[in-house]
Amino acid sequence: MPLEKSLYGSRFLPIDSIASIREPFVEGRKVRIAGRLMGHRVMGKSAFGDLKDQCARIQLYAKKDELGDELYGAFKALTAGDILGVEGELFFSKSGEPTVRIVKFEMLSKIVRSLPEKWHGLKDVETRYRHRYVDLIVNDDVRRTFETRSRILKDIRRFLDEKDFMEVETPMMQSIPGGALARPFVTHHNTLDIDLYLRVAPELYLKRLLVGGFERVYEVNRNFRNEGISTRHNPEFTMLELYQAYADYHDMMDITEEMMNGLVKALHEGKEEIAYGEKTLNFARPWKRLSFYDALKEKTGVDFKAMPVREAAQKAGFNFGPGATDVDILDEVFGEKVESELVNPTFILDYPASMSPLAKAREDDSTLTYRFELFIAGMELANAFSELKDPHDQRRRFNEQKAAIGEHKVIDEDFLTALEYGMPPAGGLGIGIDRLVMLLTNKTSIRDVVLFPQMRPEKNSGARPGIIGQDDEVLKEADQHEI
């Protein structure tokens, strides 16, 4: 028999899943299943094995007298990790274990490398991320995490669809990177001979759809930011962004509370309190609301709104170089003094206009905006505005932003043109899906919830699972410093 046929078999279509034959389990039922052999034990003229598919595993039983010398010999020669197609009959073993008595089997794919005997502990953590396919084979908890991630996304879509939001797709390659202050990835389109940017946010295109007459839109989108890698940052990440005409940031708070509270209860058997590391998070509504400046004053003892920002920061014990802008200072002080203290879901409201160029200014104080950020377990989870729709004010804000960060900032003139056609009042919301999955699955690193996280290149590109390289140690150190 040719090698290819004996080790990498022909088509075998399973009729049953292992989960479906285990529940209900009917003795005598004929089954046709496929999966990966996770180990087997030979005891003279009989042998047992464990077969695993996507959802479950079951014991196999092979008997020499029933299979014959050739097929039984082939079963004995199998290796943990081989992929098999099995036809057989269900029965309970003497110990009461649900089992498939093999009538015949086929080798569908031969494993060439050996599965690791142990696949846990700090020494293997980076290798698990690099070789996620092995991690998924041997670590059921990892598989369940990504099944939960898929369920979370399905539930989010269902929630929004039921509220008459329409899912849309907007460009991932953009001529002007907009919607967020972030360093973009640059690529080049050969036919048009122009540079393009992988999007840092879909915001400006989704708002164009409001101008065009769609009143409730959302996108589960991939964003790309050419910035740091850490336990909370991956350069490629998933966001939910939604926009609702004739709504404001209060409506966005209601949607956020209702959606996240529902996710928590759906995933945790109706409970509103969940564990996250050593913390217990309470998602019961309503969630705490606190203004940006009140939160700073509460944690620093300094009223940042009553004096120049740099002076307030010095009173709070911070010293910044001459190149730091007011936005830089406020952002860092807030991150140092406030964020880590926000454990239970907390909306921080009414950010300074200088930090919120796309948010509507408050009528009672134009230095503040109708904006909130949601913090849970010391992490920012969501960002929302009552959207700025005045094209003249928007141009002024863009120009101020350009003056603050340098001449390389390009203003999106087409977006301003769209606003000149009239955008309805609207609320907009962005939620970081990766961080949300971290919270709901009790994971402390974003790389535990991203199937293939970005990693530094290995020095030894031929390294096998279980070998950790020097670059991985550098990355772990970077995680500790939140680069």
Side-chain angles (χ1 to χ4, degrees), residues 20-27 58 90-92 97-100:
S20 71
I21 66 176
R22 289 190 65 95
E23 186 62 43
F25 188 84
V26 181
E27 284 197 277
I58 197 166
L90 300 183
F91 77 105
F92 286 107
E97 178 71 18
T99 306
V100 177

Side-chain angles (χ1 to χ4, degrees), residues 150 152-172 199 202 205-206 209-210 214-222 238-244 433:
S150 178
I152 289 168
L153 286 168
K154 287 178 182 177
D155 287 351
I156 287 172
R157 284 187 164 99
R158 185 182 303 113
F159 174 85
L160 293 174
D161 292 344
E162 289 174 354
K163 289 187 176 294
D164 294 327
F165 281 83
M166 180 177 71
E167 184 171 9
V168 298
E169 295 173 305
T170 61
M172 296 178 71
R199 70 176 169 206
Y205 281 91
L206 290 170
L209 297 181
L210 295 180
F214 290 117
E215 294 181 357
R216 299 186 184 210
V217 294
Y218 76 94
E219 183 171 9
V220 178
N221 56 80
R222 304 291 286 176
T238 303
M239 287 281 291
L240 164 70
E241 287 216 15
L242 64 89
Y243 292 84
Q244 180 179 344
I433 295 297

Side-chain angles (χ1 to χ4, degrees), residues 37-103:
L37 188 71
M38 299 306 293
H40 71 324
R41 308 164 296 285
V42 178
M43 296 170 287
K45 295 184 178 182
S46 62
F48 291 90
D50 293 301
L51 193 73
K52 175 183 177 183
D53 67 7
Q54 177 175 324
C55 297
R57 65 172 68 202
I58 197 166
Q59 181 170 265
L60 302 178
Y61 174 68
K63 191 172 183 180
K64 183 178 180 180
D65 293 345
E66 296 173 356
L67 294 180
D69 291 344
E70 183 177 354
L71 198 56
Y72 183 71
F75 188 84
K76 286 171 56 179
L78 292 173
T79 303
D82 291 340
I83 297 176
L84 309 179
V86 175
E87 293 184 36
E89 181 178 306
L90 300 183
F91 77 105
F92 286 107
S93 68
K94 289 182 180 179
S95 64
E97 178 71 18
T99 306
V100 177
R101 185 191 308 274
I102 299 175
V103 174

Side-chain angles (χ1 to χ4, degrees), residues 181-368:
L181 279 178
R183 185 184 300 123
F185 288 93
V186 185
T187 187
H188 187 80
H189 193 288
N190 291 333
T191 301
L192 296 177
D193 193 25
I194 58 171
D195 284 342
L196 293 171
Y197 304 89
L198 296 183
R199 70 176 169 206
V200 296
E203 178 169 345
L204 302 189
Y205 281 91
L206 290 170
K207 287 181 180 177
R208 286 170 167 93
L209 297 181
L210 295 180
V211 173
F214 290 117
E215 294 181 357
R216 299 186 184 210
V217 294
Y218 76 94
E219 183 171 9
V220 178
N221 56 80
R222 304 291 286 176
N223 292 336
F224 307 85
R225 298 182 184 180
N226 196 355
E227 298 171 348
I229 297 175
S230 76
T231 54
R232 296 183 182 182
H233 300 90
N234 195 56
E236 177 183 1
F237 61 98
T238 303
M239 287 281 291
L240 164 70
E241 287 216 15
L242 64 89
Y243 292 84
Q244 180 179 344
Y246 312 110
D248 64 10
Y249 79 150
H250 294 289
D251 299 294
M252 297 301 102
M253 281 184 249
D254 291 340
I255 285 176
T256 304
E257 277 190 351
E258 183 182 353
M259 180 169 62
M260 288 194 185
N261 178 272
L263 286 170
V264 169
K265 289 193 288 190
L267 293 171
H268 296 276
E269 300 177 336
K271 297 177 183 176
E272 293 181 306
E273 285 193 342
I274 64 173
Y276 185 69
E278 297 179 353
K279 303 178 177 73
T280 298
L281 307 179
N282 188 340
F283 285 82
R285 303 173 66 186
W287 296 350
K288 184 177 180 180
R289 288 155 169 77
L290 187 64
S291 77
F292 178 84
Y293 282 117
D294 285 347
L296 273 178
K297 186 175 182 180
E298 180 181 301
K299 298 302 179 183
T300 66
V302 179
D303 187 350
F304 274 72
K305 198 171 188 303
M307 65 187 76
V309 170
R310 189 174 291 269
E311 180 184 336
Q314 288 176 339
K315 279 195 168 187
F318 289 82
N319 289 301
F320 291 89
T325 65
D326 285 357
V327 171
D328 295 332
I329 293 170
L330 287 170
D331 192 52
E332 184 163 337
V333 174
F334 186 88
E336 284 273 325
K337 293 293 187 179
V338 181
E339 283 189 22
S340 63
E341 302 296 319
L342 303 175
V343 177
N344 285 322
T346 303
F347 292 115
I348 299 296
L349 314 177
D350 303 340
Y351 277 71
S354 59
M355 301 179 74
S356 314
L358 295 165
K360 180 182 177 182
R362 289 188 63 97
E363 283 89 352
D364 56 344
D365 185 346
S366 62
T367 67
L368 303 178

